[in-house]
Amino acid sequence: DAGVIQSPRHEVTEMGQEVTLRCKPISGHNSLFWYRQTMMRGLELLIYFNNNVPIDDSGMPEDRFSAKMPNASFSTLKIQPSEPRDSAVYFCASSLRDTHSYEQYFGPGTRLTVT
Amino acid sequence: LAKTTQPISMDSYEGQEVNITCSHNNIATNDYITWYQQFPSQGPRFIIQGYKTKVTNEVASLFIPADRKSSTLSLPRVSLSDTAVYYCLVGPNSGYSTLTFGKGTMLLVSP
């Protein structure tokens, strides 16, 4: 099993540009999570999908952020327009929600730098 | 969601047993206790989860007293590679609930 796959691993962009982060969850998992991690704020949950449907997007900072999950094997997190304060590591995680476990499998993350 | 309190950092030496305690005074009846480990430049990794008493796996043990207002993650005979941030999370294991990661405990293992 390849685990959760994220791309790109690193992204450097200029303020105002559109950024798209991609995630492929573990096959068979029915829940997908997007997190953001910074030194100041720690690890924050941005949005959570269950069976491809967004369940909780209360963590999405503002309208500049949007996330989609068109099918069970792919999700995107888009920032448009990007700002320097969006610089962070973005993690995608997946889990099998049917089990009695909070075991989420995290991807390697995308380190985003907005200049 | 129940708030958790854990030490910001801990130091240990190779071969020692490390116990990290987490306080969660307002834990609810249906809340589980979950611990994650995060190495630098990696995503968090699930370590162990429990509801009461003691849970043990190949990596760690989790001790939960009867009142469940705290829990202790025990790492036997740590090595340098156990240097990481350890997160204690508390939350209901049902429905569409999610967990909130706090600041965690930075464990530094020295030779």
Side-chain angles (χ1 to χ4, degrees):
Chain A
D1 191 340
V4 175
I5 299 173
Q6 291 186 246
S7 65
R9 293 294 309 277
H10 301 274
E11 177 80 34
V12 180
T13 189
E14 292 183 347
M15 181 175 62
Q17 297 297 307
E18 177 180 294
V19 175
T20 300
L21 310 182
R22 298 173 175 79
C23 175
K24 177 178 170 55
I26 292 174
S27 176
H29 282 186
N30 58 3
S31 293
L32 184 139
F33 308 80
W34 281 101
Y35 290 88
R36 176 174 67 176
Q37 187 170 37
T38 61
M39 287 294 294
M40 290 298 294
R41 301 175 68 88
L43 194 62
E44 304 173 279
L45 176 65
L46 300 178
I47 188 169
Y48 158 42
F49 292 87
N50 185 261
N51 292 324
N52 312 337
V53 176
I55 301 300
D56 182 0
D57 65 353
S58 60
M60 296 286 263
E62 48 199 273
D63 293 344
R64 297 185 298 105
F65 285 69
S66 62
K68 294 182 180 180
M69 192 164 186
N71 56 63
S73 59
F74 184 67
S75 176
T76 60
L77 177 67
K78 184 178 294 186
I79 308 173
Q80 167 62 19
S82 58
E83 296 181 3
R85 58 183 168 142
D86 301 331
S87 297
V89 179
Y90 291 80
F91 289 105
C92 174
S94 70
S95 71
L96 182 58
R97 201 66 182 109
D98 290 336
T99 60
H100 293 291
S101 171
Y102 263 123
E103 186 166 2
Q104 296 181 18
Y105 294 80
F106 282 74
T110 295
R111 182 173 295 277
L112 173 64
T113 302
V114 183
T115 61
Chain B
L1 295 175
K3 177 180 171 61
T4 60
T5 302
Q6 51 183 125
I8 295 175
S9 64
M10 293 182 68
D11 295 320
S12 183
Y13 293 96
E14 281 189 295
Q16 290 189 335
E17 177 184 77
V18 172
N19 296 308
I20 306 175
T21 298
C22 178
S23 297
H24 27 81
N25 291 319
N26 59 339
I27 188 170
T29 302
N30 59 343
D31 283 345
Y32 278 70
I33 300 156
T34 309
W35 286 80
Y36 276 78
Q37 173 192 56
Q38 185 176 24
F39 297 114
S41 302
Q42 294 187 25
R45 181 175 74 108
F46 174 92
I47 301 176
I48 198 167
Q49 177 179 290
Y51 183 80
K52 61 180 179 180
T53 62
K54 176 183 176 182
V55 179
T56 297
N57 61 23
E58 65 279 6
V59 177
S61 294
L62 179 59
F63 298 92
I64 305 169
D67 65 7
R68 303 199 328 121
K69 294 183 182 299
S70 67
S71 59
T72 300
L73 175 72
S74 181
L75 305 173
R77 298 179 298 282
V78 295
S79 64
L80 297 178
S81 62
D82 291 316
T83 292
V85 177
Y86 292 82
Y87 297 96
C88 166
L89 301 94
V90 173
N93 192 24
S94 61
Y96 296 125
S97 56
T98 58
L99 294 178
T100 300
F101 283 80
K103 296 294 186 181
T105 297
M106 175 65 215
L107 172 65
L108 176 62
V109 181
S110 301

